[in-house]
Amino acid sequence: MLYYTNYPSPLGEILLLATEEALAGVWLPGQAVDQKLLAQAQRWDQAPLLVAGCAWLERYFHGACPVPQELPLAPQGTPFRQRVWKRLCEIPYGQLVTYGQLAGEIAEADGHKMSAQAVGGAVGHNPISIIIPCHRVIGANGNLVGYGGGLALKKRLLEYEGIDIRTLYNP
């Protein structure tokens, strides 16, 4: 069974979706929600994993530096996307990596070449925003690129983590 709730964040309403075993989706204001999954869900604000997800977000927005590994996560995607999302979970709070760095790390682990664009495609399909921290990935030379909720939202998330976005390239 799927359940959903909304978390009233400083950024606006965040939608959380979970099974009885794991979080399956977290969507920020402005992000495209997986309507197929949402149509299968029923609202249950007290579902244990939704309560845990809301508590995680509460801590995040109060600067507590929670890590993704605190929650059972079950994002749906291809094996390649799963590898990318797993690596995203390893990016520490308040730190950034580039798409190229991620591609290089995954290529080294897989033993074959990987493009930053392929990694970007997987990052862009992350269904568990904030918790799987795709906002911590930037373009080459520190440029802010690509975010499902828009660059203004990405900037706000980075600011919550203490990153001075003025030092990044903002075309």
Side-chain angles (χ1 to χ4, degrees), residues 102-113:
L102 286 176
E105 292 171 11
I106 292 170
E108 186 175 323
D110 289 354
H112 59 79
K113 289 188 177 192

mmCIF file with all atom_site columns, all heavy atoms in Angstrom, residues 102-113:
data_model
loop_
_atom_site.group_PDB
_atom_site.id
_atom_site.type_symbol
_atom_site.label_atom_id
_atom_site.label_alt_id
_atom_site.label_comp_id
_atom_site.label_asym_id
_atom_site.label_entity_id
_atom_site.label_seq_id
_atom_site.pdbx_PDB_ins_code
_atom_site.Cartn_x
_atom_site.Cartn_y
_atom_site.Cartn_z
_atom_site.occupancy
_atom_site.B_iso_or_equiv
_atom_site.pdbx_formal_charge
_atom_site.auth_seq_id
_atom_site.auth_comp_id
_atom_site.auth_asym_id
_atom_site.auth_atom_id
_atom_site.pdbx_PDB_model_num
ATOM 1  N N   . LEU A 1 102 ? 31.027 12.912 -10.443 1.00 0.00 ? 102 LEU A N   1
ATOM 2  C CA  . LEU A 1 102 ? 30.190 11.722 -10.252 1.00 0.00 ? 102 LEU A CA  1
ATOM 3  C C   . LEU A 1 102 ? 30.390 10.729 -11.386 1.00 0.00 ? 102 LEU A C   1
ATOM 4  O O   . LEU A 1 102 ? 30.517 9.526  -11.158 1.00 0.00 ? 102 LEU A O   1
ATOM 5  C CB  . LEU A 1 102 ? 28.709 12.102 -10.164 1.00 0.00 ? 102 LEU A CB  1
ATOM 6  C CG  . LEU A 1 102 ? 28.228 12.750 -8.889  1.00 0.00 ? 102 LEU A CG  1
ATOM 7  C CD1 . LEU A 1 102 ? 26.756 13.141 -9.012  1.00 0.00 ? 102 LEU A CD1 1
ATOM 8  C CD2 . LEU A 1 102 ? 28.421 11.837 -7.703  1.00 0.00 ? 102 LEU A CD2 1
ATOM 9  N N   . ALA A 1 103 ? 30.420 11.246 -12.621 1.00 0.00 ? 103 ALA A N   1
ATOM 10 C CA  . ALA A 1 103 ? 30.616 10.372 -13.780 1.00 0.00 ? 103 ALA A CA  1
ATOM 11 C C   . ALA A 1 103 ? 31.947 9.642  -13.676 1.00 0.00 ? 103 ALA A C   1
ATOM 12 O O   . ALA A 1 103 ? 32.020 8.434  -13.944 1.00 0.00 ? 103 ALA A O   1
ATOM 13 C CB  . ALA A 1 103 ? 30.541 11.193 -15.070 1.00 0.00 ? 103 ALA A CB  1
ATOM 14 N N   . GLY A 1 104 ? 32.991 10.363 -13.280 1.00 0.00 ? 104 GLY A N   1
ATOM 15 C CA  . GLY A 1 104 ? 34.303 9.736  -13.136 1.00 0.00 ? 104 GLY A CA  1
ATOM 16 C C   . GLY A 1 104 ? 34.318 8.654  -12.076 1.00 0.00 ? 104 GLY A C   1
ATOM 17 O O   . GLY A 1 104 ? 34.894 7.574  -12.277 1.00 0.00 ? 104 GLY A O   1
ATOM 18 N N   . GLU A 1 105 ? 33.686 8.911  -10.946 1.00 0.00 ? 105 GLU A N   1
ATOM 19 C CA  . GLU A 1 105 ? 33.639 7.927  -9.864  1.00 0.00 ? 105 GLU A CA  1
ATOM 20 C C   . GLU A 1 105 ? 32.867 6.678  -10.271 1.00 0.00 ? 105 GLU A C   1
ATOM 21 O O   . GLU A 1 105 ? 33.297 5.552  -9.999  1.00 0.00 ? 105 GLU A O   1
ATOM 22 C CB  . GLU A 1 105 ? 33.006 8.547  -8.629  1.00 0.00 ? 105 GLU A CB  1
ATOM 23 C CG  . GLU A 1 105 ? 33.837 9.618  -7.979  1.00 0.00 ? 105 GLU A CG  1
ATOM 24 C CD  . GLU A 1 105 ? 33.096 10.359 -6.886  1.00 0.00 ? 105 GLU A CD  1
ATOM 25 O OE1 . GLU A 1 105 ? 31.996 9.907  -6.477  1.00 0.00 ? 105 GLU A OE1 1
ATOM 26 O OE2 . GLU A 1 105 ? 33.614 11.393 -6.423  1.00 0.00 ? 105 GLU A OE2 1
ATOM 27 N N   . ILE A 1 106 ? 31.737 6.886  -10.932 1.00 0.00 ? 106 ILE A N   1
ATOM 28 C CA  . ILE A 1 106 ? 30.920 5.740  -11.353 1.00 0.00 ? 106 ILE A CA  1
ATOM 29 C C   . ILE A 1 106 ? 31.631 4.967  -12.453 1.00 0.00 ? 106 ILE A C   1
ATOM 30 O O   . ILE A 1 106 ? 31.632 3.733  -12.463 1.00 0.00 ? 106 ILE A O   1
ATOM 31 C CB  . ILE A 1 106 ? 29.520 6.210  -11.770 1.00 0.00 ? 106 ILE A CB  1
ATOM 32 C CG1 . ILE A 1 106 ? 28.770 6.728  -10.525 1.00 0.00 ? 106 ILE A CG1 1
ATOM 33 C CG2 . ILE A 1 106 ? 28.731 5.083  -12.439 1.00 0.00 ? 106 ILE A CG2 1
ATOM 34 C CD1 . ILE A 1 106 ? 27.480 7.445  -10.819 1.00 0.00 ? 106 ILE A CD1 1
ATOM 35 N N   . ALA A 1 107 ? 32.289 5.679  -13.374 1.00 0.00 ? 107 ALA A N   1
ATOM 36 C CA  . ALA A 1 107 ? 33.035 5.018  -14.436 1.00 0.00 ? 107 ALA A CA  1
ATOM 37 C C   . ALA A 1 107 ? 34.165 4.171  -13.860 1.00 0.00 ? 107 ALA A C   1
ATOM 38 O O   . ALA A 1 107 ? 34.392 3.036  -14.295 1.00 0.00 ? 107 ALA A O   1
ATOM 39 C CB  . ALA A 1 107 ? 33.588 6.061  -15.412 1.00 0.00 ? 107 ALA A CB  1
ATOM 40 N N   . GLU A 1 108 ? 34.857 4.709  -12.881 1.00 0.00 ? 108 GLU A N   1
ATOM 41 C CA  . GLU A 1 108 ? 35.947 3.965  -12.253 1.00 0.00 ? 108 GLU A CA  1
ATOM 42 C C   . GLU A 1 108 ? 35.421 2.704  -11.577 1.00 0.00 ? 108 GLU A C   1
ATOM 43 O O   . GLU A 1 108 ? 36.004 1.622  -11.698 1.00 0.00 ? 108 GLU A O   1
ATOM 44 C CB  . GLU A 1 108 ? 36.663 4.848  -11.236 1.00 0.00 ? 108 GLU A CB  1
ATOM 45 C CG  . GLU A 1 108 ? 37.884 4.200  -10.642 1.00 0.00 ? 108 GLU A CG  1
ATOM 46 C CD  . GLU A 1 108 ? 38.647 5.133  -9.720  1.00 0.00 ? 108 GLU A CD  1
ATOM 47 O OE1 . GLU A 1 108 ? 38.726 6.336  -10.009 1.00 0.00 ? 108 GLU A OE1 1
ATOM 48 O OE2 . GLU A 1 108 ? 39.157 4.635  -8.698  1.00 0.00 ? 108 GLU A OE2 1
ATOM 49 N N   . ALA A 1 109 ? 34.305 2.846  -10.881 1.00 0.00 ? 109 ALA A N   1
ATOM 50 C CA  . ALA A 1 109 ? 33.721 1.692  -10.192 1.00 0.00 ? 109 ALA A CA  1
ATOM 51 C C   . ALA A 1 109 ? 33.192 0.643  -11.177 1.00 0.00 ? 109 ALA A C   1
ATOM 52 O O   . ALA A 1 109 ? 33.298 -0.553 -10.925 1.00 0.00 ? 109 ALA A O   1
ATOM 53 C CB  . ALA A 1 109 ? 32.594 2.148  -9.269  1.00 0.00 ? 109 ALA A CB  1
ATOM 54 N N   . ASP A 1 110 ? 32.638 1.101  -12.310 1.00 0.00 ? 110 ASP A N   1
ATOM 55 C CA  . ASP A 1 110 ? 32.059 0.184  -13.297 1.00 0.00 ? 110 ASP A CA  1
ATOM 56 C C   . ASP A 1 110 ? 33.076 -0.328 -14.311 1.00 0.00 ? 110 ASP A C   1
ATOM 57 O O   . ASP A 1 110 ? 32.790 -1.264 -15.051 1.00 0.00 ? 110 ASP A O   1
ATOM 58 C CB  . ASP A 1 110 ? 30.912 0.868  -14.050 1.00 0.00 ? 110 ASP A CB  1
ATOM 59 C CG  . ASP A 1 110 ? 29.674 1.067  -13.190 1.00 0.00 ? 110 ASP A CG  1
ATOM 60 O OD1 . ASP A 1 110 ? 29.657 0.581  -12.042 1.00 0.00 ? 110 ASP A OD1 1
ATOM 61 O OD2 . ASP A 1 110 ? 28.725 1.706  -13.678 1.00 0.00 ? 110 ASP A OD2 1
ATOM 62 N N   . GLY A 1 111 ? 34.215 0.362  -14.402 1.00 0.00 ? 111 GLY A N   1
ATOM 63 C CA  . GLY A 1 111 ? 35.238 -0.064 -15.337 1.00 0.00 ? 111 GLY A CA  1
ATOM 64 C C   . GLY A 1 111 ? 34.990 0.332  -16.780 1.00 0.00 ? 111 GLY A C   1
ATOM 65 O O   . GLY A 1 111 ? 35.522 -0.300 -17.692 1.00 0.00 ? 111 GLY A O   1
ATOM 66 N N   . HIS A 1 112 ? 34.166 1.357  -17.004 1.00 0.00 ? 112 HIS A N   1
ATOM 67 C CA  . HIS A 1 112 ? 33.962 1.850  -18.370 1.00 0.00 ? 112 HIS A CA  1
ATOM 68 C C   . HIS A 1 112 ? 33.657 3.331  -18.348 1.00 0.00 ? 112 HIS A C   1
ATOM 69 O O   . HIS A 1 112 ? 33.339 3.888  -17.295 1.00 0.00 ? 112 HIS A O   1
ATOM 70 C CB  . HIS A 1 112 ? 32.862 1.073  -19.101 1.00 0.00 ? 112 HIS A CB  1
ATOM 71 C CG  . HIS A 1 112 ? 31.528 1.115  -18.420 1.00 0.00 ? 112 HIS A CG  1
ATOM 72 N ND1 . HIS A 1 112 ? 30.679 2.191  -18.499 1.00 0.00 ? 112 HIS A ND1 1
ATOM 73 C CD2 . HIS A 1 112 ? 30.905 0.209  -17.627 1.00 0.00 ? 112 HIS A CD2 1
ATOM 74 C CE1 . HIS A 1 112 ? 29.587 1.942  -17.795 1.00 0.00 ? 112 HIS A CE1 1
ATOM 75 N NE2 . HIS A 1 112 ? 29.700 0.752  -17.252 1.00 0.00 ? 112 HIS A NE2 1
ATOM 76 N N   . LYS A 1 113 ? 33.743 3.979  -19.500 1.00 0.00 ? 113 LYS A N   1
ATOM 77 C CA  . LYS A 1 113 ? 33.535 5.426  -19.566 1.00 0.00 ? 113 LYS A CA  1
ATOM 78 C C   . LYS A 1 113 ? 32.088 5.785  -19.231 1.00 0.00 ? 113 LYS A C   1
ATOM 79 O O   . LYS A 1 113 ? 31.171 5.010  -19.471 1.00 0.00 ? 113 LYS A O   1
ATOM 80 C CB  . LYS A 1 113 ? 33.883 5.955  -20.960 1.00 0.00 ? 113 LYS A CB  1
ATOM 81 C CG  . LYS A 1 113 ? 35.347 5.929  -21.231 1.00 0.00 ? 113 LYS A CG  1
ATOM 82 C CD  . LYS A 1 113 ? 35.668 6.635  -22.529 1.00 0.00 ? 113 LYS A CD  1
ATOM 83 C CE  . LYS A 1 113 ? 37.179 6.649  -22.721 1.00 0.00 ? 113 LYS A CE  1
ATOM 84 N NZ  . LYS A 1 113 ? 37.573 7.532  -23.786 1.00 0.00 ? 113 LYS A NZ  1
#
